[in-house]
Amino acid sequence: MKKLLFGVIALGMLAACNTTEETANLTEDTNARTATASRKSCPSEEIRAELLKNDAKARARFAAIEAGTEKFIQAKKLGRVLADGTVEIPVVFNVLYRTSAENISDARIAEQIAVLNKDFGATNTDINKIPAEFASVAAGDTKVRFRLVKTVRKATSVRSWRTNDAMKKASTKGIDATDPTQYFNIWVVGDMGSILGYATFPESAGLWNDGVVLAAPFVGVTGASAPYNLGRTATHEVGHYLNLRHIWGDATCGNDFVADTPTQTGSNGGSPTYPLYNTCGGVQRSVMFMNYMDYVYDSAMYMFSAGQRDRMQAVVAAGGARAGLRNL
Ligand code: ARG
Ligand code: ZN
Ligand code: CA
């Protein structure tokens, strides 16, 4: 349907250009000066008209560009791509609750969204804790934001959940995702043992199980469970969803594919004291344990790096693995 529409538009434009050409020729006969002026003003379109008339592949490219442009403009209208290029990701919360405490309130969900928007916008109040040493590689505004579009709730008798994605399918006592190609689904479950949350990476974009799972005690701030009660489990999991690895690269002195995060020996926990030195490959480095992609307490993490920002932006960019989040 869309293709047909753009085909018609393309034909219309060809016709319009032909008309312009004829007008130009006519004018040429009557007034040479005006003719020269109008030829100068629109030779590109005339050349293009010739190209599109003779080259089916060029017509296809033209149609694809127009379709992509239209999508972008519609996304902008919906506020998904803001004027400065910020991508506002539409979020669906799927809440599975056994107890009333697990049925987290709308206010708490709003609080969680607000935390994400602060952490990803670098407007978190603890951002001034970033050591001077790391200030130059701090992400600043990642230009990724989140907007709650829907909350789905379902009572369950399931007491504890595992990481087998059962919560993501109605047929296994869960809730089916809302179109994961266009929405970021977050599932909230009552309990996952020692696991605070988990996420799928961009290679799972649009699949039925794509999204983030959070245990209810670690969602939002009010009533959340210390020391993971500043909403940063979501910040960490969204990092994964947008293609960030753990800062230690999930191995001893591993690689997180981010150049500006210093290689560290392993994960950090609790509230480390700065500076903290690790030696990898004979090189001693001060490590960025305050990064959202480490394992420290919520109050001990307060930054993404510029390299991490770039990786996340690549994922939500037009043509990125999660470009669907910016579409209609
Ligand atoms: N997937 C990690 C876990 O379950 C999340 C760690 C989040 N860290 C935090 N400070 N909230 O352990
Ligand atoms: Zn993780
Ligand atoms: Ca690194």
Side-chain angles (χ1 to χ4, degrees):
M1 187 60 196
K2 271 232 167 103
K3 258 191 191 148
L4 197 74
L5 179 67
F6 283 108
V8 170
I9 291 172
L11 280 175
M13 288 186 78
L14 283 173
C17 275
N18 285 338
T19 310
T20 309
E21 215 169 68
E22 272 165 30
T23 310
N25 289 339
L26 245 176
T27 316
E28 201 174 348
D29 292 337
T30 48
N31 186 329
R33 251 201 210 159
T34 316
T36 309
S38 67
R39 258 207 307 277
K40 263 185 185 164
S41 69
C42 185
S44 307
E45 283 290 3
E46 287 165 10
I47 296 162
R48 165 192 250 179
E50 270 306 297
L51 173 71
L52 295 183
K53 201 161 40 175
N54 302 323
D55 185 340
K57 281 185 178 163
R59 280 199 298 276
R61 291 196 299 272
F62 168 83
I65 289 162
E66 284 307 322
T69 303
E70 185 58 26
K71 259 192 171 178
F72 179 87
I73 289 163
Q74 288 304 321
K76 249 183 111 162
K77 273 190 195 151
L78 285 184
R80 287 186 175 187
V81 180
L82 309 183
D84 69 347
T86 296
V87 177
E88 205 168 53
I89 296 178
V91 182
V92 176
F93 260 82
N94 304 287
V95 181
L96 287 151
Y97 62 95
R98 189 180 61 88
T99 67
S100 57
E102 291 171 8
N103 191 16
I104 56 166
S105 66
D106 288 344
R108 193 142 152 216
I109 291 169
E111 208 172 46
Q112 179 62 74
I113 294 282
V115 168
L116 286 173
N117 284 331
K118 281 183 191 162
D119 287 353
F120 280 78
T123 58
N124 47 304
T125 54
D126 48 1
I127 196 154
N128 54 3
K129 289 190 188 168
I130 297 175
E133 177 192 10
F134 297 134
S136 60
V137 296
D141 185 353
T142 65
K143 295 199 168 182
V144 175
R145 293 292 190 281
F146 305 85
R147 186 199 292 196
L148 181 69
V149 294
K150 191 167 66 160
T151 301
V152 182
R153 297 175 185 277
K154 185 178 172 183
T156 179
S157 59
V158 179
R159 184 178 289 269
S160 188
W161 298 81
R162 307 185 323 137
T163 53
N164 61 0
D165 293 336
M167 70 288 283
K168 302 176 185 176
K169 260 193 298 194
S171 59
T172 52
K173 303 188 175 181
I175 299 171
D176 288 332
T178 298
D179 185 3
T181 67
Q182 303 207 59
Y183 297 92
F184 169 33
N185 282 267
I186 298 180
W187 287 267
V188 178
V189 297
D191 180 78
M192 284 192 286
S194 61
I195 293 160
L196 311 180
Y198 72 98
T200 52
F201 288 85
E203 65 269 16
S204 295
L207 302 181
W208 66 273
N209 64 340
D210 191 22
V212 161
V213 183
L214 302 171
F218 313 109
V219 178
V221 179
T222 309
S225 185
Y228 302 105
N229 55 348
L230 295 179
R232 273 155 176 178
T233 299
T235 302
H236 174 105
E237 301 307 338
V238 174
H240 288 317
Y241 178 79
L242 297 177
N243 213 20
L244 299 189
R245 296 184 132 198
H246 289 135
I247 192 171
W248 68 97
D250 291 284
T252 304
C253 299
N255 187 358
D256 66 349
F257 301 137
V258 178
D260 60 15
T261 55
T263 305
Q264 59 185 58
T265 53
S267 67
N268 293 290
S271 271
T273 303
Y274 175 86
L276 179 67
Y277 295 98
N278 283 180
T279 300
C280 286
V283 181
Q284 193 191 55
R285 300 179 181 87
S286 168
V287 299
M288 197 187 280
F289 63 80
M290 66 293 297
N291 191 283
Y292 294 124
M293 301 317 290
D294 208 328
Y295 264 0
V296 296
Y297 290 164
D298 278 14
S299 59
M301 50 170 57
Y302 31 82
M303 71 178 290
F304 285 119
S305 78
Q308 288 176 322
R309 172 202 65 210
D310 291 348
R311 282 179 66 82
M312 295 195 282
Q313 286 180 346
V315 170
V316 295
R322 294 198 182 283
L325 296 171
R326 54 194 287 151
N327 289 342
L328 269 177

